[in-house]
Amino acid sequence: MSEKEIKNLEEIFEQKIARDEKIEPKDWMPEKYRQTHIRQISQHAHSEIVGMLPEGNWITRAPSLRRKVALLAKVQDEAGHGLYLYSACETLGISREELYDQLHTGKAKYSSIFNYPTITWADIGAIGWLVDGAAIINQVPLCSTSYGPYARAMVRVCKEESFHQRQGYEIMMTLAKGTPEQKEMAQDALNRWWWPSLMMLGPTDAESVHTEQSMKWKLKRKTNDELRQQFIDQTVPQADLIGLTIPDADLKWNEETGHYDFGEIDWDEFWQVVKGHGPCNHERMSARVKAWEKGEWVRDAAMAYAKKKEDKKLKKAI
Amino acid sequence: MKNENLIQYICGVADNALILGQRLSELCGHGPNLETDIALTNMALDLLGQTRSYYQYAAQLSDEDKTEDDIAFLRVERQYKNVLLVEQPNTHFGYVITRQFFYDVFHLLLLQELQNSKDETLSAIAKKAIKEVSYHQRFSSDWIKRLGDGTEESHQKVQEAVNDLWKFTDELFHTTEDDTLAIDLGVGVNVVTLKEKYYQRIGEVLEEATLTIPEIKWFQKGGKQGVHSEHMGYLLADLQYMQRTYPNMKW
């Protein structure tokens, strides 16, 4: 392709983005756009799959049948999200096996929040309320992102996430209204999950390397700091309502800005966890690798069986 | 029929769903691929949903002010009446599928009869569950065939599971005193009458899967009398953890 032709394609592409039209898998796209999307969509898919582990940790111990069924359904939804996000990613010309390989070898990242342990039942409430709450804030703008398959997947993901968030908040509310032990359990979970949830919205704008390009492609519509402020403003009144205290001594409503001021985030901790030194990084990855390796003979059997069936059909046809 | 006997009959049916649902729940997030993970979780959800319907009914029948959770979480091991088969561990995927298949075939036959129960609630629960369990049976039968007639390794692994779990199949057709009372009143299912069809169906699928039925003359039993395997205590420790640690609270 000549330089002129490429330039022409680039222009068409840019115009489409400017007009808020979707880019579809068969459309021409710059290589960097493709790579950025593979990175972000797969990171998102991996987060869903790894995110199943901390919550799955409580399925067998859920305190009531109703909670057990709800948690199972929630974790299953996450598997579903993983499935359609991997499919969306595959439309960019990469296979699921390659994507798994990137996850298992540590080349691809997933949301760092899942490297924290779930040590009490209240953590399941806190994850739903805070982690899914932060995820929704991150994800709602993606429903109108430029890449069609991703945007469409996100519409469904967001609907389910907002259901999960309400469910998590309801767990916290029940605990906060319960016995002193239950309330303490809820407060303790909030104390442990609050700061990692704020970190989940990404490094500050000054540190964020991808923001500018991603804003241009509408892969991002608000900066990390804007999203974080939105999350805090939305969540603080929810904590007040159920009588739990946000673990931040500097948290204060600011009349002038119309937002909450908040204390400093420990970014050293954030980068430590991102780099693999969180409390459960190793456990999460080895659980994923183990499931994949132990499942190999099963996947092989399914392939071999399908081939045998196909061969038989062919023979008959001949 | 006294309520207490009916409650016992219901638990005899429902405990299987609870314990198998619990076993399947352990696998959520650890399946061989996403599609299978989702399908196994679906079955766990169906089974636990059925469990809730049965236990809610049993709680209603009880004179003491009981809830579904009291029945699910607050009995001692000897009071659980599930068969030994469903409490067997998830040794590997071959065991998971074989356990499921051995139970599904029985479960569907049972529900097809239970829908004719003179007890309207049991009949309604059975009618709803039939749709779910027909899918379970299709899923597990298909996987038995894939594993049996897949690769040499998968054949060997699933055959190992069949050999190991076969000894638990006979107990499915035992009847307790409470069962007999329920059968006499047209409320319960006489499982003895399902036995022939069961082994026929199992035999057909195993044959298609190129698997062989082990020659075993001695079968294991005890679950229906509440005498369980050593696995059961650990399963219950997990299941009951919250209710035992924090008694009398709302969740």
Side-chain angles (χ1 to χ4, degrees):
Chain A
M1 213 181 288
S2 74
E3 238 174 74
K4 199 179 156 199
E5 280 170 315
I6 291 178
K7 200 137 197 316
N8 197 19
L9 286 170
E10 267 173 4
E11 257 169 44
I12 295 173
F13 172 83
E14 298 289 347
Q15 281 164 6
K16 263 193 186 166
I17 301 247
R19 286 196 303 264
D20 258 340
E21 276 174 35
K22 297 282 176 254
I23 307 297
E24 295 300 334
K26 284 185 178 154
D27 295 343
W28 183 89
M29 62 187 84
E31 184 56 19
K32 198 168 168 216
Y33 178 93
R34 196 177 76 86
Q35 290 301 342
T36 302
H37 276 76
I38 290 178
R39 184 177 57 81
Q40 177 161 335
I41 301 171
S42 69
Q43 200 168 313
H44 190 167
H46 298 327
S47 302
E48 297 283 355
I49 301 313
V50 178
M52 293 170 76
L53 300 169
E55 294 185 273
N57 187 36
W58 278 90
I59 293 172
T60 60
R61 291 178 294 167
S64 69
L65 287 177
R66 181 171 84 93
R67 293 292 185 203
K68 189 191 286 288
V69 168
L71 181 58
L72 253 178
K74 184 192 175 194
V75 180
Q76 188 192 36
D77 281 348
E78 268 138 32
H81 297 172
L83 198 57
Y84 31 91
L85 286 164
Y86 281 125
S87 306
C89 204
E90 282 171 298
T91 64
L92 291 158
I94 186 163
S95 71
R96 223 204 282 183
E97 280 65 30
E98 285 172 273
L99 293 168
Y100 278 149
D101 192 58
Q102 290 179 352
L103 173 69
H104 297 159
T105 55
K107 200 182 149 208
K109 297 269 180 268
Y110 56 89
S111 185
S112 263
I113 192 107
F114 300 121
N115 292 316
Y116 289 88
T118 49
I119 55 178
T120 72
W121 169 250
D123 290 14
I124 299 307
I127 289 185
W129 175 33
L130 303 172
V131 177
D132 291 331
I136 293 166
I137 287 193
N138 244 336
Q139 292 168 4
V140 165
L142 293 172
C143 297
S144 55
T145 188
S146 61
Y147 189 56
Y150 191 28
R152 288 188 289 273
M154 290 316 297
V155 172
R156 192 162 159 195
V157 169
C158 283
K159 271 187 202 152
E160 290 176 352
E161 291 294 359
S162 87
F163 179 69
H164 297 164
Q165 199 254 350
R166 283 203 298 275
Q167 198 172 281
Y169 185 60
E170 200 254 319
I171 290 178
M172 292 302 261
M173 194 192 295
T174 308
L175 294 174
K177 277 196 309 207
T179 64
E181 273 166 300
Q182 285 175 303
K183 188 166 181 185
E184 193 187 323
M185 193 191 280
Q187 182 63 53
D188 171 60
L190 172 58
N191 294 350
R192 284 180 289 107
W193 290 93
W194 174 253
W195 293 102
S197 301
L198 297 189
M199 294 174 199
M200 215 185 129
L201 293 148
T204 53
D205 296 347
E207 300 268 330
S208 177
V209 286
H210 302 296
T211 297
E212 200 193 329
Q213 180 68 78
S214 294
M215 296 280 269
K216 211 172 120 202
W217 285 335
K218 296 177 179 168
L219 187 51
K220 219 173 182 154
R221 302 233 167 190
K222 286 182 181 169
T223 70
N224 294 347
D225 287 336
E226 286 170 331
L227 293 170
R228 190 164 14 250
Q229 187 67 56
Q230 188 186 334
F231 174 71
I232 293 169
D233 291 348
Q234 164 191 308
T235 311
V236 174
Q238 293 172 353
D240 289 345
L241 191 69
I242 56 175
L244 296 179
T245 312
I246 303 281
D248 179 357
D250 297 322
L251 189 80
K252 209 172 64 203
W253 177 252
N254 184 328
E255 269 314 328
E256 233 166 82
T257 59
H259 294 292
Y260 281 93
D261 292 336
F262 56 96
E264 206 162 315
I265 294 171
D266 181 358
W267 290 110
D268 284 344
E269 177 181 323
F270 174 75
W271 290 113
Q272 282 302 310
V273 182
V274 169
K275 284 174 188 152
H277 311 300
C280 297
N281 293 59
H282 178 72
E283 285 78 359
R284 300 295 181 241
M285 229 6 66
S286 58
R288 282 314 317 153
V289 171
K290 193 174 151 199
W292 187 245
E293 285 175 353
K294 277 173 77 178
E296 193 180 359
W297 68 271
V298 178
R299 297 189 301 274
D300 288 349
M303 296 282 278
Y305 182 76
K307 192 173 178 304
K308 276 185 198 173
K309 280 258 155 183
E310 194 56 36
D311 290 350
K312 260 187 208 160
K313 234 201 237 162
L314 263 174
K315 242 188 202 166
K316 254 192 191 165
I318 294 165
Chain B
M1 188 176 191
K2 279 192 199 146
N3 277 4
E4 190 40 45
N5 298 114
L6 182 54
I7 291 172
Q8 285 306 316
Y9 177 74
I10 295 169
C11 285
V13 176
D15 288 354
N16 289 326
L18 172 71
I19 302 302
L20 188 54
Q22 175 77 359
R23 274 289 182 235
L24 290 171
S25 304
E26 292 170 13
L27 297 165
C28 181
H30 305 276
N33 61 19
L34 272 177
E35 289 81 352
T36 321
D37 205 306
I38 291 171
L40 290 173
T41 305
N42 241 346
M43 299 199 291
L45 279 168
D46 288 341
L47 289 166
L48 293 169
Q50 293 163 20
T51 305
R52 293 189 68 191
S53 305
Y54 288 124
Y55 285 172
Q56 281 164 7
Y57 181 42
Q60 236 179 56
L61 291 168
S62 167
D63 308 329
E64 309 149 52
D65 192 21
K66 277 197 178 162
T67 66
E68 55 173 10
D69 289 329
D70 295 330
I71 304 176
F73 298 101
L74 293 175
R75 283 179 287 162
V76 295
E77 183 172 328
R78 293 283 273 106
Q79 292 170 317
Y80 286 84
K81 298 295 158 63
N82 57 283
V83 291
L84 298 175
L85 173 68
V86 294
E87 71 201 45
Q88 297 309 307
N90 301 320
T91 309
H92 60 56
F93 190 75
Y95 279 80
V96 173
I97 289 300
T98 305
R99 183 185 62 206
Q100 195 63 38
F101 172 59
F102 285 174
Y103 188 69
D104 291 343
V105 174
F106 168 77
H107 197 187
L108 189 57
L109 291 170
L110 177 84
L111 293 172
Q112 280 162 347
E113 291 303 317
L114 193 61
Q115 66 176 334
N116 304 321
S117 168
K118 283 188 179 151
D119 184 299
E120 279 176 17
T121 310
L122 288 182
S123 159
I125 298 173
K127 276 184 185 142
K128 183 170 177 280
I130 282 176
K131 290 181 204 141
E132 297 165 349
V133 175
S134 321
Y135 166 76
H136 301 179
Q137 184 185 277
R138 187 149 39 101
F139 177 87
S140 60
S141 305
D142 284 351
W143 268 106
I144 287 282
K145 292 176 208 162
R146 279 191 202 109
L147 298 180
D149 196 17
T151 63
E152 213 171 292
E153 185 186 7
S154 69
H155 176 88
Q156 194 194 330
K157 280 198 141 112
V158 74
Q159 182 68 60
E160 174 200 349
V162 168
N163 294 348
D164 264 7
L165 296 176
W166 189 258
K167 59 180 174 287
F168 299 114
T169 55
D170 189 65
E171 193 194 5
L172 292 164
F173 307 100
H174 293 196
T175 42
T176 63
E177 280 173 30
D178 294 306
D179 291 349
T180 312
L181 285 171
I183 294 162
D184 289 346
L185 289 169
V187 168
V189 177
N190 186 359
V191 287
V192 178
T193 61
L194 310 175
K195 196 168 178 175
E196 202 184 314
K197 268 192 203 152
Y198 175 83
Y199 282 109
Q200 193 191 333
R201 167 85 188 140
I202 295 272
E204 281 164 11
V205 176
L206 290 183
E207 193 187 329
E208 201 186 326
T210 71
L211 293 165
T212 46
I213 293 171
E215 282 178 35
I216 289 175
K217 292 198 181 68
W218 190 253
F219 289 92
Q220 297 298 320
K221 60 179 184 201
K224 285 193 168 180
Q225 265 70 40
V227 181
H228 293 279
S229 63
E230 289 181 348
H231 304 295
M232 185 68 170
Y234 295 93
L235 183 148
L236 290 180
D238 240 13
L239 180 77
Q240 299 185 341
Y241 167 68
M242 288 295 288
Q243 290 274 345
R244 295 288 186 202
T245 313
Y246 305 97
N248 304 316
M249 298 186 197
K250 286 208 163 52
W251 299 97

